[in-house]
């Protein structure tokens, strides 16, 4: 997608947008993606939408690539996108308008500084949310607390889904998650693999249209399962002496 930027970029970044029936939100989301020279393609992973999502995407951004999802769930969509994008890095951007495309340059800048993964966080200075209910906020913080306790980590706001990551290193993590547990699996596996992780402030806007595809019962169970599975895996590695060493703590990226 050469017309997304001017000049030849040393770093190439793909945007992956998982989308299921988001035709109403896509015009505002796609039109706000910054035209940076590093952004070489935008890929929409269509999850069997019935509202014309791919057609609307093409109308707004003719050069966008459309990929049909081969399963269900956000995690599956991200994995589908990661297999086909061509960038050195890819950034995950939600199609519902809750992620701000205007923040993308911050993620790109941190990648230029040498970080393998750049993760958005609503709960640091400069971040925030206008789309969090009381019960959801409690569950997110409780899940963070339990995961960090069991994993020996210091992650914050693992549930937030906007992040940029080195594509090759992502594929080497062999992520299995199909739903909203993907961020949790990516983070702990990236830490154990020794990836350099930056945390940047992020603002979560209200969803523009429709209802969230996240469900507390299904996705809560999946997140809990992922936390316990990875805790057991870490414990087993320590017991059998197969752990590759304690990697540096998650590095926090500053916005300036």
């Amino acid at each position: 997608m050469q017309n997304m930027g001017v000049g030849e970029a040393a770093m190439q970044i793909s945007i992956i947008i998982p989308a299921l029936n988001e035709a109403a939100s896509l015009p505002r989301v796609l039109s706000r993606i910054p035209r940076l020279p590093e952004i070489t393609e935008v890929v929409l992973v269509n999850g069997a939408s019935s509202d014309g999502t791919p057609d609307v995407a093409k109308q707004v951004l003719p050069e966008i690539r459309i990929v049909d999802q081969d399963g269900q769930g956000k995690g599956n969509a991200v994995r589908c996108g990661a297999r086909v994008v061509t960038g050195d890095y890819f950034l995950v951007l939600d199609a519902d308008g809750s992620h701000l495309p205007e923040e993308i340059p911050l993620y790109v800048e941190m990648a230029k500084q040498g970080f393998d993964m750049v993760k958005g966080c609503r709960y640091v200075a400069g971040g925030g949310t206008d789309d969090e209910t009381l019960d959801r906020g409690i569950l997110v913080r409780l899940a963070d607390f339990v995961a960090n306790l069991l994993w020996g980590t210091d992650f914050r706001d693992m549930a937030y889904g906007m992040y940029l990551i080195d594509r090759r290193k992502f594929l080497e993590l062999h992520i299995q998650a199909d739903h909203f547990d993907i961020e949790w699996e990516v983070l702990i596996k990236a830490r154990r693999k020794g990836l350099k992780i930056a945390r940047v402030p992020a603002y979560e806007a209200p969803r523009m249209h429709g209802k969230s595809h996240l469900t507390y019962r299904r996705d809560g169970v999946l997140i809990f399962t992922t936390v316990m599975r990875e805790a057991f895996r870490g414990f087993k590695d320590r017991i059998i002496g197969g752990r590759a060493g304690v990697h540096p703590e998650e590095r926090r990226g500053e916005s300036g």
Side-chain angles (χ1 to χ4, degrees):
M1 185 173 291
Q2 296 301 320
N3 59 342
M4 287 297 292
V6 178
E8 184 176 354
M11 175 186 294
Q12 295 187 343
I13 296 175
S14 303
I15 307 292
I16 295 177
I17 305 179
L20 173 61
N21 293 328
E22 297 290 358
S25 301
L26 279 173
R28 290 184 60 190
V29 173
L30 295 177
S31 63
R32 289 158 54 202
I33 295 176
R35 292 183 173 268
L36 302 177
E38 295 83 6
I39 299 177
T40 55
E41 66 176 348
V42 178
V43 176
L44 184 139
V45 183
N46 177 42
S49 298
S50 59
D51 66 346
T53 285
D55 295 332
V56 170
K58 278 287 187 181
Q59 291 170 8
V60 178
L61 193 67
E63 60 267 40
I64 196 170
R65 293 177 60 196
I66 307 295
V67 175
D68 288 328
Q69 188 173 344
D70 63 10
Q72 295 182 338
K74 179 183 178 181
N76 175 267
V78 171
R79 291 192 288 113
C80 287
R83 290 195 296 266
V84 302
V85 294
T86 60
D88 306 303
Y89 291 76
F90 68 81
L91 180 139
V92 179
L93 180 70
D94 280 0
D96 61 9
S98 59
H99 296 166
L100 301 188
E102 293 83 0
E103 294 177 347
I104 291 176
L106 177 58
Y107 292 71
V108 174
E109 179 58 34
M110 297 308 297
K112 288 182 178 179
Q113 294 183 25
F115 289 98
D116 302 305
M117 180 176 183
V118 186
K119 176 73 165 58
C121 179
R122 296 166 291 182
Y123 309 138
V124 294
T129 176
D130 281 336
D131 192 37
E132 184 175 83
T133 60
L134 177 62
D135 55 347
R136 182 183 170 199
I138 292 173
L139 286 172
V140 167
R141 289 167 175 81
L142 179 61
D144 277 358
F145 174 79
V146 173
N148 285 322
L149 181 67
L150 294 176
W151 293 349
T153 54
D154 64 347
F155 293 126
R156 189 181 300 181
D157 197 13
M158 285 182 260
Y160 190 69
M162 185 172 173
Y163 59 92
L164 180 148
I165 190 168
D166 183 297
R167 175 181 177 266
R168 178 182 59 81
K169 293 179 179 180
F170 173 87
L171 294 175
E172 291 174 351
L173 298 178
H174 303 293
I175 301 300
Q176 302 297 316
D178 281 331
H179 296 281
F180 287 94
D181 50 327
I182 185 170
E183 287 85 12
W184 306 72
E185 184 180 356
V186 169
L187 276 168
I188 186 57
K189 287 188 174 180
R191 168 67 68 80
R192 289 174 178 164
K193 195 77 170 179
L195 272 63
K196 294 176 62 178
I197 305 173
R199 183 169 60 219
V200 296
Y203 169 79
E204 181 185 35
R207 162 182 270 275
M208 292 180 179
H209 300 278
K211 296 181 179 179
S212 172
H213 301 299
L214 183 147
T215 62
Y216 289 138
R217 178 174 296 180
R218 180 200 65 194
D219 292 295
V221 169
L222 288 172
I223 290 169
F224 176 78
T225 300
T226 297
V227 169
M228 297 307 297
R229 182 186 68 240
E230 294 302 328
F232 176 75
R233 179 173 295 165
F235 175 76
K236 183 176 69 173
D237 287 345
R238 289 192 296 272
I239 291 296
I240 66 176
R243 192 177 183 188
V246 179
H247 297 302
E249 289 299 314
E250 176 190 15
R251 303 189 182 195
R252 178 176 176 179
E254 300 298 335
S255 58

